[in-house]
Amino acid sequence: MSPGWIDTAYTEHTGADAAQHPAGRVGNPLDIANMVLYLCSDKASFITGENICIDGGMTKQMIYHNDFGWTLNVEGI
C-alpha cells in the first residue's frame, strides 16, 4: 500500500489542507486499516501483487498546498 497524507492525530483539517484532496479531507489511520481488513478478507482473494494508493486522490493532483510556493484558492471550490 502507498498511503498519502495520513494524520495519526485525527485532526479535523479545514481550508486548503482539506479542500486540496479530491476526497475533501485528510486521511486517517482507519483509511489504511479498512484496506488492510479488506485485503485480509475472502473478498480480496483474487487480488495479487498490487500497489494500492490510499491518498484521497492526491496522486492525480500531484502537488500539495504550500509546496514550491503553490497555493490552493479555496474560495473557488
Side-chain angles (χ1 to χ4, degrees):
M1 283 186 284
S2 296
W5 179 3
I6 303 298
D7 187 334
T8 58
Y10 292 89
T11 305
E12 185 70 30
H13 294 274
T14 59
D17 285 337
Q20 71 182 333
H21 288 78
R25 65 178 179 84
V26 174
N28 64 60
L30 286 176
D31 295 314
I32 305 304
N34 286 333
M35 180 53 69
V36 169
L37 289 172
Y38 171 73
L39 290 172
C40 291
S41 76
D42 290 339
K43 293 179 181 179
S45 65
F46 206 65
I47 297 174
T48 60
E50 287 300 316
N51 178 36
I52 299 172
C53 185
I54 304 174
D55 69 354
M58 288 303 291
T59 299
K60 182 177 179 180
Q61 188 163 307
M62 296 300 295
I63 191 167
Y64 284 86
H65 175 71
N66 284 333
D67 275 358
F68 308 105
W70 181 80
T71 303
L72 177 68
N73 178 2
V74 294
E75 293 176 13
I77 295 177

